[in-house]
Amino acid sequence: QKEVEQNSGPLSVPEGAIASLNCTYSDRGSQSFFWYRQYSGKSPELIMFIYSNGDKEDGRFTAQLNKASQYVSLLIRDSQPSDSATYLCARGRAAGNKLTFGGGTRVLVKP
Amino acid sequence: DVKVTQSSRYLVKRTGEKVFLECVQDMDHENMFWYRQDPGLGLRLIYFSYDVKMKEKGDIPEGYSVSREKKERFSLILESASTNQTSMYLCASSFPGQENTEAFFGQGTRLTVV
């Protein structure tokens, strides 16, 4: 079992809809989680991080963490074509801020 | 703006060559990382450095080595390039100390070994 798992997609959503991305992890000791967005041919950029159970909102993005069920999700409200990208889920490791990434979910927002 | 700069966007090397990938950051970050990214596998950590001359193996260090002689510069070395090292290589840097510290990535080097 991979440490961090994501559905590779593509996840196709109409413009204006909510995109829902899920990520599961195997290490119960994981404390912090990151969502990165990566446009084709570009480097990953941080959208948000979460380390407490519950929801965290930042603009159109909401991250949700459920440590008991070992999953973290990302909601994108009012999806725009510019949100079309691959979204990478990562967990932080205590030592040295190393990140373990999932394989990424490709999102396509159709006008 | 934080800048992490990788010396090359594209490289083509021959099997058996010694290859150097260079990365420079301008934010005085202590931590620097080398990842490789392959389709469906996400980013995998090759090596990590938390200070000058300090290094630690990541998840897939075989066939690679690193050098950090100055705080701002972190080099990845492929001792004898092989075709299975064809990949996108990403350098990143961050401050130490907290699990929720953001990592900033360079633009990537796409390496092809023929």
Side-chain angles (χ1 to χ4, degrees), chain A residues 67-84:
Chain A
K67 291 187 179 181
S69 300
Q70 294 178 244
Y71 80 80
V72 57
S73 61
L74 180 70
L75 301 177
I76 308 173
R77 289 184 301 281
D78 189 23
S79 296
Q80 301 297 309
S82 60
D83 294 325
S84 297

Side-chain angles (χ1 to χ4, degrees), chain A residues 34 38 43 93 97-98, chain B residues 31 37 56 59 98-99 106:
Chain A
F34 300 77
Q38 186 176 27
S43 57
R93 295 186 251 179
N97 316 114
K98 292 174 283 188
Chain B
N31 293 342
Q37 184 174 26
E56 190 175 303
D59 301 315
Q98 298 176 21
E99 282 188 63

Side-chain angles (χ1 to χ4, degrees), chain A residues 7-50:
Chain A
N7 188 319
S8 61
L11 175 66
S12 184
V13 295
E15 184 174 357
I18 296 175
S20 178
L21 291 74
N22 294 315
C23 172
T24 59
Y25 60 94
S26 58
D27 183 354
R28 284 194 171 274
S30 300
Q31 296 297 321
S32 59
F33 299 87
F34 300 77
W35 283 100
Y36 281 80
R37 177 176 62 198
Q38 186 176 27
Y39 291 113
S40 181
K42 303 292 186 182
S43 57
E45 52 185 358
L46 183 68
I47 299 173
M48 60 196 306
F49 65 84
I50 185 168

Side-chain angles (χ1 to χ4, degrees), chain B residues 29-43:
Chain B
H29 286 161
E30 282 80 2
N31 293 342
M32 295 189 76
F33 311 83
W34 275 106
Y35 290 89
R36 64 176 282 177
Q37 184 174 26
D38 301 287
L41 296 177
L43 282 76

Side-chain angles (χ1 to χ4, degrees), chain A residues 93 96-99, chain B residues 23 31-36 43-50 53-68 74-79 85 89-93 105:
Chain A
R93 295 186 251 179
N97 316 114
K98 292 174 283 188
L99 299 173
Chain B
C23 175
N31 293 342
M32 295 189 76
F33 311 83
W34 275 106
Y35 290 89
R36 64 176 282 177
L43 282 76
R44 292 178 291 167
L45 182 65
I46 304 171
Y47 263 99
F48 159 61
S49 170
Y50 51 91
K53 297 192 186 292
M54 306 304 285
K55 61 185 179 185
E56 190 175 303
K57 291 181 180 178
D59 301 315
I60 51 164
E62 296 78 19
Y64 304 95
S65 62
V66 290
S67 172
R68 193 162 179 204
F74 191 35
S75 302
L76 180 69
I77 304 155
L78 286 66
E79 298 291 342
Q85 293 178 310
Y89 290 87
L90 288 160
C91 175
S93 70
F105 285 85

